[in-house]
Amino acid sequence: MMNIPFHDRPAETIDPTQLAGLQLHRLRASVGHALCTPFYRQRLAECGLPESFTMGALSDLRRLPFTVKDDLRASYPDGLLAVPRDQVVRVHMSSGTTGAPTVIYHTAKDLETWTGLVVRSIAATGVTKFDVFQNMMTYGLFTGGLALHYAAEKLGMMVIPAGPGNTKRQIKLMRDFATTVVHATPSYLLHLYSALENEGVAPGDLALKRAFLGAEPYSESTRQKIEALMGIDAYNSYGLSEMNGPGVAFECVLKAGMHVWEDAYLIEVIDPETLEPVRDGDEGELVFTTLRRQATPLLRYRTRDLSSIIPEPCACGRTHRRITRIKGRSDDMLIINGVNVYPSQIEGVLMKIREAGSNYQIVIEKEGSLDKMIVKTEVSGDLFTGDLRSLEAVRRDIGNRLKTEILIHPSVELHEPGALPVSEGKAKRVVDNRPSL
Ligand code: ADP
Ligand code: ZN
């Protein structure tokens, strides 16, 4: 039996009935905090809930209204602030992948809680104070950098706050300080791998053992590709700035879905059309309620992220339920001539193809009245020195496999390594050139 590491075993293996009691207790406090904000006072009144309303049971959650990203934008900058301003010690903002910024305030206690959740998350992968942690995530308003930074320090690791980019320097730091763990976006780690190849550094010459990968959707085949190329274990990390950031859900050593820390977040999965809960195990939109946040409590926040709850308990013994890999955002979905396609489906196919490189891009154009999809992918450099027929065979194979997965036949373009743009933060995979309606 594999050794299962824990940071706070009693909290992580809490009895489910006891967990439900704790959740109800914390939910009541969260609703109370929420009522301190102008936004929720008005919203709850609009729903016909009196200020004296208290949650009798967890199922009363369904009487509460949803909160959406536009509510946060409309409340900018402080319509959702629930504590006096002098108690706030930090603000974070969403990286704005999808529009105007949203702000989340934190008290000192909020930061302590958050760091605790991230410590618990990373410790579940087996890292300890003997590890050397190189943080390749963006530091700043984006939550990814600072969250892991403080947690890794708290655990006692030596932290290298490298931030993203400057790949040559990353490699030098990894060698000079014998980095054992990195935190990066999956797209950046694949880029780093190509850079290692270019520099003639074999991954086996590095001390690297683990990677925490998150911030953007990626497929199981990408994880496996990264693990095989680099000879490491890669763990999926999920979070969003509205729910603090990293530390909402994280994989344990068993790598079979991400444990959601249910003593800090109430999770629901809903049908994004009907807004009704889906059955356990079915896919839907993740909705979270903060249970421990003082400065910016959020009730039933609709993430737009698509996933499902894994109803079976994890063999590791943790009682906090797991969610499956995020398939994408409901607003990520592309509609190509009426067919729904998620970028993650395309990625899943590309990563299974040996010759397909680490970087790809999906371009959509209008051709007459029809949509045309072009999948550009980097392939190994040696293909370009071989004969044209093998290049054409790879191209055709990719096209056919994509057709089987997404039901439409995109045109496929092969590019040499390094030819497609790389981003330092979240990768921008889709370029949609169709005129907007
Ligand atoms: P935004 O991208 O809206 O500016 P954030 O920077 O807070 O906001 O990013 C959070 C979003 O990033 C999540 O809602 C989710 O869509 C995506 N994300 C984060 N981690 C993962 C992951 N492990 N897998 C897939 N998607 C992720
Ligand atoms: Zn587990």
Side-chain angles (χ1 to χ4, degrees), residues 4 251-257 259 314-318 320 322:
I4 308 285
E251 281 180 334
C252 68
V253 271
L254 300 178
K255 292 192 267 193
H259 289 279
C314 185
C316 73
R318 288 181 180 80
H320 300 250
R322 292 163 297 162

Side-chain angles (χ1 to χ4, degrees), residues 97 185-191 214-219 222 226 332 334 342-348 350-351 357-364 373-378 420-433:
T97 315
T185 59
S187 50
Y188 186 69
L189 207 61
L190 282 167
H191 172 68
E216 60 188 22
Y218 63 111
S219 57
T222 297
I226 289 175
D332 250 12
L334 298 165
Y342 287 96
S344 58
Q345 291 177 287
I346 296 179
E347 185 196 278
L350 293 178
M351 292 303 157
S358 42
N359 200 2
Y360 71 98
Q361 198 175 48
I362 302 161
V363 180
I364 302 148
M373 180 188 263
I374 306 145
V375 174
K376 303 180 174 186
T377 176
E378 290 180 11
L420 297 175
V422 195
S423 76
E424 289 192 346
K426 292 170 194 267
K428 180 157 171 41
R429 299 300 195 186
V430 180
V431 180
D432 194 339
N433 292 325

Side-chain angles (χ1 to χ4, degrees), residues 373-389:
M373 180 188 263
I374 306 145
V375 174
K376 303 180 174 186
T377 176
E378 290 180 11
V379 289
S380 16
D382 40 345
L383 268 183
F384 289 93
T385 53
D387 71 292
L388 272 180
R389 263 172 314 177

Side-chain angles (χ1 to χ4, degrees), residues 91-103:
V91 290
H92 273 291
M93 261 149 77
S94 145
S95 58
T97 315
T98 53
T102 55
V103 59

Side-chain angles (χ1 to χ4, degrees), residues 20-304:
L22 183 65
Q23 286 177 324
L24 179 59
H25 174 75
R26 288 182 170 166
L27 179 61
R28 286 186 180 133
S30 271
V31 175
H33 276 310
L35 281 166
C36 300
T37 69
F39 171 79
Y40 279 118
R41 253 199 317 276
Q42 190 187 342
R43 182 57 64 88
L44 294 186
E46 281 165 7
C47 292
L49 295 173
E51 279 207 27
S52 57
F53 166 77
T54 50
M55 310 288 298
L58 278 176
S59 53
D60 281 342
L61 182 68
R62 291 191 58 192
R63 295 176 60 192
L64 299 176
F66 289 104
T67 309
V68 296
K69 196 152 188 135
D70 275 339
D71 293 327
L72 271 70
R73 289 186 179 128
S75 312
Y76 185 87
D78 56 12
L80 274 155
L81 178 59
V83 297
R85 188 179 288 279
D86 65 353
Q87 288 186 31
V88 174
V89 300
R90 200 194 297 164
V91 290
H92 273 291
M93 261 149 77
S94 145
S95 58
T97 315
T98 53
T102 55
V103 59
I104 300 293
Y105 295 92
H106 298 273
T107 63
K109 179 88 184 126
D110 287 336
L111 292 183
E112 192 187 308
T113 307
W114 179 15
T115 302
L117 293 170
V118 183
V119 167
R120 202 196 258 184
S121 302
I122 59 179
T125 71
V127 295
T128 65
K129 65 191 284 266
F130 298 103
D131 278 287
V132 176
F133 175 63
Q134 189 163 328
N135 196 2
M136 302 180 178
M137 279 288 185
T138 307
Y139 280 72
L141 287 170
F142 174 65
T143 55
L146 288 174
L148 272 284
H149 178 98
Y150 286 115
E153 280 185 357
K154 180 109 191 175
L155 208 53
M157 297 194 245
M158 178 169 111
V159 177
I160 309 171
N166 202 341
T167 310
K168 273 204 160 76
R169 192 184 60 186
Q170 301 279 12
I171 296 172
K172 182 168 165 46
L173 291 168
M174 288 172 84
R175 299 176 85 165
D176 294 351
F177 297 106
T179 300
T180 58
V181 199
V182 295
H183 176 215
T185 59
S187 50
Y188 186 69
L189 207 61
L190 282 167
H191 172 68
L192 182 86
Y193 176 76
S194 313
L196 284 171
E197 267 194 319
N198 282 342
E199 303 247 315
V201 181
D205 294 343
L206 300 170
L208 196 64
K209 289 197 188 63
R210 293 183 181 85
F212 307 141
L213 302 180
E216 60 188 22
Y218 63 111
S219 57
E220 179 60 31
S221 10
T222 297
R223 181 237 295 273
Q224 286 173 7
K225 183 159 195 155
I226 289 175
E227 291 190 325
L229 290 174
M230 312 263 302
I232 59 172
D233 284 302
Y235 298 91
N236 199 2
S237 155
Y238 170 77
L240 60 162
S241 57
E242 293 82 357
M243 293 293 127
N244 294 336
V248 175
F250 219 93
E251 281 180 334
C252 68
V253 271
L254 300 178
K255 292 192 267 193
M258 299 179 281
H259 289 279
V260 176
W261 299 123
E262 293 190 86
D263 51 355
Y265 304 98
L266 264 190
I267 179 171
E268 299 172 84
V269 184
I270 62 164
D271 177 327
E273 300 291 324
T274 63
L275 307 184
E276 291 298 316
V278 301
R279 280 178 317 185
D280 241 16
D282 284 358
E283 184 184 278
E285 178 180 338
L286 299 179
V287 173
F288 291 108
T289 298
T290 60
L291 291 178
R292 298 188 68 186
R293 204 160 57 194
Q294 300 178 324
T296 320
L298 290 182
L299 306 178
R300 307 191 82 195
Y301 181 71
R302 291 185 57 186
T303 62
R304 301 274 170 195

